[in-house]
């Protein structure tokens, strides 16, 4: 069950991330400059790196779908999450974080929750590698896939959920949770 859960959750996250950046020239153009937060200064290097990220996300998605050996299936997604997390942490330390446009327009998530999400998704992948490729029952597979879809959607919508549930920085009449609607 954990292998199906991890693979499905990661697949949702990586497919949505790929589509969000590749859906239009404008989406790609919004993503590429956000790589400056990782210390990539020139526009040419940002665009090259953005294209490489798209390629790696596509390869990771295909591997999650088609690979059977757990290490082959999860190594690239786990490595990408580790690299993205290191970039976010280093960017935050240097004071140059910006919206990454990883999943679309609403991608402002504070550093700690961002790192916690990436870390927990990578940990789920590591648990799947440790669990191996043992096939469970059909019911366990269906449960794992269902949990993976739910987990993946929650990860993808994490910035929106954070914004919707956060009361920090809201002024009265500006969306504070305590305000009456209507």
């Amino acid at each position: 069950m954990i292998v199906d859960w991890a693979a499905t959750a990661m697949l949702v996250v990586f497919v949505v991330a790929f589509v969000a950046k590749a859906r239009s020239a404008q989406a790609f153009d919004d993503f590429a400059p956000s790589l400056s937060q990782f210390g990539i200064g020139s526009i040419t290097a940002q665009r090259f790196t953005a294209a490489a990220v798209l390629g790696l996300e596509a390869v990771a998605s295909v591997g999650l779908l088609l690979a059977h050996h757990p290490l082959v299936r999860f190594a690239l997604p786990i490595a990408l999450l580790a690299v993205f997390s290191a970039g976010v942490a280093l960017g935050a330390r240097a004071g140059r974080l910006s919206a990454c446009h990883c999943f679309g327009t609403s991608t402002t998530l504070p550093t700690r929750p961002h790192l916690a999400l990436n870390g927990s998704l990578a940990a789920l992948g590591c648990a799947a590698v440790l669990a191996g490729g043992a096939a469970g029952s059909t019911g366990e597979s269906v449960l794992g896939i269902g949990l993976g879809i739910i987990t993946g959607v929650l990860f993808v919508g994490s910035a929106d959920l954070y914004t919707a549930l956060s009361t920090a920085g809201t002024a009265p009449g500006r969306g504070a949770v305590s305000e009456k609607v209507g």
Side-chain angles (χ1 to χ4, degrees):
M1 177 184 82
I2 194 161
V3 173
D4 293 320
W5 177 16
T8 305
M10 288 180 154
L11 182 63
V12 168
V13 168
F14 280 101
V15 166
V16 169
F18 175 85
V19 171
K21 292 185 280 277
R23 71 183 185 275
S24 68
Q26 183 62 48
F28 182 82
D29 289 344
D30 288 343
F31 170 65
S34 74
L35 295 170
S36 66
Q37 69 184 317
F38 303 123
I40 302 170
S42 78
I43 293 171
T44 303
Q46 291 168 358
R47 293 185 67 76
F48 176 80
T49 304
V53 166
L54 282 172
L56 289 170
E57 287 174 342
V59 170
S61 297
V62 170
L64 287 164
L65 273 174
L66 301 178
H68 295 288
H69 190 279
L71 190 56
V72 174
R73 193 174 197 187
F74 293 103
L76 180 58
I78 292 168
L80 287 173
L81 288 164
V83 169
F84 296 155
S85 295
V88 168
L90 292 172
R93 178 175 266 182
R96 54 178 189 246
L97 283 184
S98 65
C100 69
H101 299 283
C102 299
F103 300 119
T105 56
S106 180
T107 58
T108 304
L109 191 64
T111 302
R112 286 187 182 137
H114 194 151
L115 295 175
L117 287 169
N118 284 356
S120 59
L121 191 57
L124 184 60
C126 289
V129 170
L130 294 175
S137 69
T138 302
E140 289 175 338
S141 291
V142 169
L143 180 60
I145 291 168
L147 286 171
I149 291 169
I150 292 166
T151 304
V153 168
L154 287 173
F155 274 64
V156 168
S158 60
D160 291 331
L161 285 170
Y162 177 82
T163 301
L165 298 174
S166 176
T167 58
T170 57
R174 302 278 180 172
V177 174
S178 63
E179 292 292 317
K180 290 185 179 181
V181 177

